[in-house]
């Protein structure tokens, strides 16, 4: 079995290359952890300067975890300028005036939220709502929300780098041409490559998903194995894309030039930002594999869907991979017609 | 005797540069055939066309009455590339095992063949080293071992002895002669005259043209010179005047 010979060789090579194993297996965990530290923080507690605000209101604000400081208008203006407070609230007879520092949207919305809550309690007659969640909960924070996208992205990114560079190296060191001087068929080379790396990809998917869900405690409503299926499909798409693109790179440096062109834009279109309102932006997202992987992961992890509910995503990912594989087999024709 | 390998009107252009210009060659079975020429004369390109790694712009290659490229014939050809296309992370043995499996050599026979070729290129004691720790000459020998592994009917060796010391070079040439006696057809490219003299027949290549063909003795005799080197210069002059 010639395909098996290629698989065996790739495994042998990869096991000798400890650093690449680390890059593929450990680096995504490190980056996920850092993002978790940054995104999983408790909500921001604003500092508000107040002038002539009734004590009752001040107490209510403090109940909402805001830091309240009594000062004159002039002092408050200076404090806003120095960014020591996020907002200035003035109670001028009947008129209430709020000045926001405004350069940080997180702080601004935190101030407004605190004021909303406080005024609701000042005036209990306003609409009293009971809020229920169909999916998620009040605890669903930014990390939980974009976590599925990040899992997809890091799987894609690290597989792309390692798969692309190692296939490229076959070209630059001449071994690709050398094995094309054997009776190996072009498809055997491509399939052997994908399968050899496939073993490590499965491992990587398991490690990243396990770590995110069980260690970082990312919000997870669906089935673990469904997540694995999607990350694996995404990784195969990344690997087949990377091996295909390596045909158009002369060296490692040129391979890395594909990252800002091919990889980074996928993040913007894969569900971290809301782009539904702009049709043509959404259309760009439609041609990117990560869009489908991230969508499926979100459905499974946040909304608790089964794989059967994300079949479209699954098929599109498989379609991408098949297309890249076929193109790659064709691209090898530049080395040997047959 | 019909020729084992025949090249008819081979031409190869890259973009607007033509590197092989209308080459006809006929190599009989069992011959040790030399392609002699300076670097840049098109030796490697020609060799790659013969094996099927490059498509000629014009012309055809037939080996054993079959048109190249042919996967079936690939099985019968041993190829040693000019650059050592080996996996440096792997040991010599693992490299050989890989290629042995690619050529479909049965497991039992693999061991035996690996020992045999390692002995030919004098690497028996270094089989378990990774190629990162091999010297340039050792890698060259290793490439040759890979080419010999599946006992091909046709050996194509692109500058096989570059970077190999004189003692080992002599022994490799002895081994090539031995393989030839066993019926293997061998094509060797070289730019070294004293190696060319060891070939049965030569094609002198310059700027993509075959400027002369024949046995080393014939080439020297016809050109009225004393050495192959002088003969080469002589034929070069004729072509360009």
């Amino acid at each position: 079995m010639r395909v098996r010979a290629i698989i065996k060789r790739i495994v042998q090579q990869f096991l000798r290359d400890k650093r690449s194993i680390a890059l593929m297996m450990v680096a995504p965990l490190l980056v996920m952890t850092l993002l978790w530290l940054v995104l999983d923080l408790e909500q921001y507690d604003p500092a508000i300067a107040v002038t002539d605000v009734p004590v009752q209101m001040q107490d209510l604000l403090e109940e909402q975890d805001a830091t309240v400081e009594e000062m004159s208008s002039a002092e408050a203006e200076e404090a806003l300028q120095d960014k020591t407070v996020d907002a200035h609230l003035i109670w001028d007879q009947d008129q209430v005036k709020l000045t926001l520092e405004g350069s940080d949207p997180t702080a601004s919305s935190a101030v407004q939220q605190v004021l909303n809550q406080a005024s609701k309690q000042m005036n209990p007659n306003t609409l009293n709502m009971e809020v229920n969640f169909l999916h998620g909960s009040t605890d669903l924070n930014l990390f939980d929300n974009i976590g599925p996208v990040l899992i997809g992205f890091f799987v894609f990114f690290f597989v792309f780098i390692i798969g692309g560079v190692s296939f490229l190296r076959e070209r630059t060191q001449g071994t690709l041409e050398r094995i094309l001087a054997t009776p190996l068929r072009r498809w055997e080379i491509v399939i052997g490559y994908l399968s050899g790396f496939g073993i490590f990809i499965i491992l990587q998917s398991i490690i990243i998903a396990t770590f995110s869900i069980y260690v970082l405690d990312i919000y997870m409503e669906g089935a673990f194995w469904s997540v694995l299926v999607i990350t694996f499909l995404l990784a195969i798409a990344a690997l087949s894309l990377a091996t295909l693109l390596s045909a158009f790179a002369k060296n490692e440096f040129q391979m890395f030039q594909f990252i800002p062109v091919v990889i980074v834009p996928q993040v913007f279109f894969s569900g971290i930002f809301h782009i539904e309102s702009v049709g043509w932006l959404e259309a760009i997202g439609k041609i990117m594999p990560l869009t489908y992987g991230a969508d499926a992961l979100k459905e499974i992890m946040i909304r608790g869907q089964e794989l059967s509910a994300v079949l479209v995503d699954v098929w599109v990912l498989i379609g991408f991979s098949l297309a890249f594989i076929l193109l790659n087999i064709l691209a090898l024709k530049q080395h040997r017609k047959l | 005797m019909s020729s084992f390998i025949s090249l008819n009107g081979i031409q190869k252009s890259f973009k607007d540069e033509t590197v092989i210009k209308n080459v006809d060659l006929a190599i009989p079975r069992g011959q040790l055939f030399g392609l002699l020429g300076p670097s840049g004369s098109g030796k490697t390109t020609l060799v790659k066309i013969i094996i099927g790694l490059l498509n000629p712009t014009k012309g055809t290659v037939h080996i054993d009455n079959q048109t190249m490229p042919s996967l079936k014939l690939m099985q019968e050809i041993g190829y040693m590339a000019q650059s050592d296309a080996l996996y440096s992370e792997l040991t010599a043995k693992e490299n050989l095992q890989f290629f042995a499996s690619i050529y479909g050599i049965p497991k039992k026979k693999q061991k035996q063949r690996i020992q045999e070729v390692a002995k030919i290129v004098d690497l028996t004691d270094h089989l378990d080293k990774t190629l990162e720790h091999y010297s340039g000459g050792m890698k060259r020998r290793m490439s040759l071992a890979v080419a010999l592994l599946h006992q091909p009917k046709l050996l194509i060796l692109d500058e096989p002895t570059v970077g190999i010391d004189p003692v080992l070079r002599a022994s490799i040439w002895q081994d090539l002669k031995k393989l030839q006696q066993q019926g293997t057809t061998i094509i060797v490219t070289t730019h070294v005259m004293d190696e060319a003299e060891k070939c049965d027949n030569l094609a002198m290549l310059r700027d993509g043209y075959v400027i002369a063909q024949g046995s080393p003795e014939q080439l020297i005799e016809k050109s009225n010179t004393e050495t192959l080197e002088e003969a080469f210069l002589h034929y070069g002059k004729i072509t360009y005047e």
Side-chain angles (χ1 to χ4, degrees):
Chain A
M1 259 296 268
R2 291 185 291 225
V3 172
R4 208 166 60 203
I6 297 181
I7 296 175
K8 186 179 161 199
R9 193 206 84 215
I10 287 170
V11 172
Q12 282 175 335
Q13 270 182 303
F14 203 59
L15 287 179
R16 294 258 161 76
D17 188 358
K18 300 280 185 287
R19 245 179 80 171
S20 295
I21 294 181
L23 179 66
M24 196 164 163
M25 305 294 173
V26 185
L29 304 191
L30 178 72
V31 185
M32 280 299 278
T33 309
L34 290 176
L35 275 164
W36 171 73
L37 286 172
V38 174
L39 298 178
D40 205 32
L41 293 175
E42 289 302 309
Q43 69 182 91
Y44 180 77
D45 295 326
I48 302 174
V50 294
T51 310
D52 304 328
V53 173
V55 181
Q56 189 201 359
M57 182 67 181
Q58 287 193 28
D59 289 345
L60 281 171
L61 287 175
E62 273 173 349
E63 254 172 56
Q64 296 292 327
D65 291 325
T67 314
V68 178
E69 279 177 71
E70 181 103 56
M71 45 179 96
S72 71
S73 285
E75 283 170 338
E77 229 163 81
E78 206 170 304
L80 273 181
Q81 227 22 283
D82 297 343
K83 281 174 119 181
T84 49
V85 295
D86 298 311
H88 179 210
L89 186 66
I90 309 172
W91 215 273
D92 197 6
Q93 284 134 22
D94 293 329
Q95 224 201 318
V96 180
K97 207 170 101 189
L98 178 69
T99 311
L100 289 164
E101 194 277 325
S103 64
D104 179 355
T106 313
S108 301
S109 66
V111 169
Q112 283 167 311
Q113 209 188 346
V114 163
L115 276 170
N116 268 337
Q117 289 293 331
S119 59
K120 226 187 248 173
Q121 283 174 38
M122 280 274 282
N123 187 1
N125 293 334
T126 47
L127 190 62
N128 196 3
M129 249 190 311
E130 187 193 315
V131 181
N132 291 311
F133 289 87
L134 180 59
H135 299 288
S137 72
T138 37
D139 293 336
L140 193 76
N141 61 23
L142 190 57
F143 183 69
D144 294 315
N145 181 245
I146 65 171
V149 180
L150 294 177
I151 291 178
F153 173 68
F154 288 124
V155 166
F156 200 92
F157 180 71
F158 287 104
V159 169
F160 184 90
I161 291 185
I162 291 179
V165 169
S166 80
F167 201 68
L168 178 75
R169 240 193 282 161
E170 295 261 356
R171 290 176 201 279
T172 51
Q173 69 188 5
T175 44
L176 182 66
E177 191 170 76
R178 179 63 188 83
I179 57 178
L180 279 166
T182 72
L184 263 179
R185 286 161 206 280
R186 281 179 282 129
W187 67 263
E188 289 176 317
I189 296 173
V190 175
I191 297 302
Y193 233 84
L194 292 182
S195 318
F197 269 96
I199 295 170
F200 295 101
I201 284 175
I202 292 176
L203 271 177
Q204 189 208 32
S205 298
I206 294 175
I207 290 175
I208 296 184
T210 309
F211 184 79
S212 307
I213 292 167
Y214 296 113
V215 180
L216 298 184
D217 200 25
I218 195 170
Y219 189 85
M220 170 70 173
E221 222 178 82
F224 184 67
W225 70 272
S226 309
V227 172
L228 284 188
V229 170
I230 301 295
T231 49
F232 179 67
L233 287 176
L234 201 51
I236 287 288
L239 181 60
S240 47
L241 176 63
T243 48
L244 170 64
L245 287 181
S246 74
F248 306 100
K250 285 202 187 80
N251 49 46
E252 276 91 343
F253 183 52
Q254 290 197 347
M255 191 68 210
F256 287 127
Q257 289 164 8
F258 285 120
I259 293 174
V261 181
V262 178
I263 305 294
V264 174
Q266 298 209 48
V267 188
F268 305 142
F269 295 95
S270 56
I272 291 185
F273 304 110
H274 289 278
I275 54 167
E276 294 88 344
S277 51
V278 187
W280 62 273
L281 275 182
E282 220 191 349
I284 297 178
K286 288 259 188 289
I287 57 166
M288 299 178 168
L290 190 56
T291 308
Y292 300 91
D295 178 63
L297 286 174
K298 269 182 145 178
E299 289 292 320
I300 293 165
M301 294 178 68
I302 300 178
R303 310 189 70 212
Q305 301 283 15
E306 304 276 326
L307 264 190
S308 56
V310 291
L311 272 186
V312 174
D313 292 323
V314 169
W315 284 116
V316 172
L317 283 177
I318 292 174
F320 269 120
S321 300
L322 284 179
F324 294 147
I325 290 169
L326 286 176
L327 285 172
N328 200 358
I329 294 173
L330 281 179
L332 284 179
K333 271 197 172 181
Q334 71 181 20
H335 294 278
R336 190 181 75 192
K337 195 172 72 181
L338 208 63
Chain B
M1 194 169 75
S2 79
S3 50
F4 182 50
I5 301 164
S6 63
L7 278 66
N8 304 308
I10 296 290
Q11 223 183 77
K12 178 71 189 174
S13 312
F14 293 106
K15 288 186 183 139
D16 35 72
E17 200 196 351
T18 306
V19 286
I20 299 289
K21 294 153 190 160
N22 205 22
V23 168
D24 292 296
L25 282 182
I27 303 169
R29 192 184 295 271
Q31 203 166 60
L32 178 48
F33 188 88
L35 282 171
L36 176 68
S39 64
S41 58
K43 299 186 298 278
T44 297
T45 309
L46 195 58
V47 154
K48 281 187 182 172
I49 289 172
I50 295 176
I51 201 173
L53 283 176
L54 280 176
N55 296 317
T57 315
K58 268 192 205 148
T60 51
V61 178
H62 291 273
I63 299 178
D64 212 1
N65 293 320
Q66 291 181 61
T67 315
M68 287 302 279
S70 142
L71 286 178
K72 203 175 137 232
L73 276 176
M74 293 280 189
Q75 180 71 36
E76 310 292 340
I77 302 175
Y79 172 55
M80 176 177 174
Q82 195 172 25
S83 63
D84 298 303
L86 300 161
Y87 301 98
S88 55
E89 299 93 336
L90 302 185
T91 65
K93 200 184 213 161
E94 286 164 343
N95 269 284
L96 288 168
Q97 278 167 346
F98 169 67
F99 282 102
S101 307
I102 295 292
Y103 282 111
I105 301 174
K107 270 265 144 50
K108 275 183 234 155
K109 215 183 160 202
Q110 277 190 20
K111 251 192 188 157
Q112 181 205 334
R113 280 304 295 161
I114 288 173
Q115 289 305 324
E116 283 170 11
V117 295
K119 202 173 158 214
I120 292 175
V121 296
D122 199 17
L123 285 175
T124 312
D125 297 335
H126 307 282
L127 276 180
D128 291 317
K129 273 189 200 163
T130 59
L131 296 199
E132 284 163 340
H133 300 108
Y134 265 36
S135 69
M138 285 164 92
K139 283 188 196 156
R140 223 52 214 123
R141 281 139 67 191
M142 185 57 205
S143 293
L144 180 60
V146 170
L148 299 176
L149 201 52
H150 59 295
Q151 294 170 296
K153 277 195 239 165
L154 169 62
L155 258 182
I156 298 180
L157 311 174
D158 199 354
E159 304 259 7
T161 52
V162 170
I164 292 183
D165 62 84
V167 179
L168 193 68
R169 193 157 76 180
S171 103
I172 286 177
W173 272 95
Q174 258 175 22
D175 288 314
L176 292 183
K177 286 276 184 198
K178 213 186 287 168
L179 285 165
Q180 190 199 359
Q181 278 159 22
Q182 291 162 14
T184 313
T185 311
I186 304 172
I187 300 177
V188 175
T189 74
T190 181
H191 62 265
V192 188
M193 299 296 163
D194 68 319
E195 285 194 357
E197 271 166 11
K198 297 190 177 107
C199 299
D200 300 330
N201 258 314
L202 280 177
M204 288 181 166
L205 227 65
R206 208 172 132 172
D207 293 325
Y209 289 106
V210 173
I211 53 174
Q213 257 190 88
S215 71
E217 298 77 28
Q218 284 171 342
L219 288 170
I220 293 173
E221 201 178 309
K222 269 200 226 158
S223 60
N224 261 327
T225 49
E226 303 280 306
T227 64
L228 260 185
E229 193 158 348
E230 284 167 13
F232 186 87
L233 294 171
H234 170 80
Y235 291 115
K237 247 187 225 160
I238 295 176
T239 315
Y240 285 93
E241 272 163 13

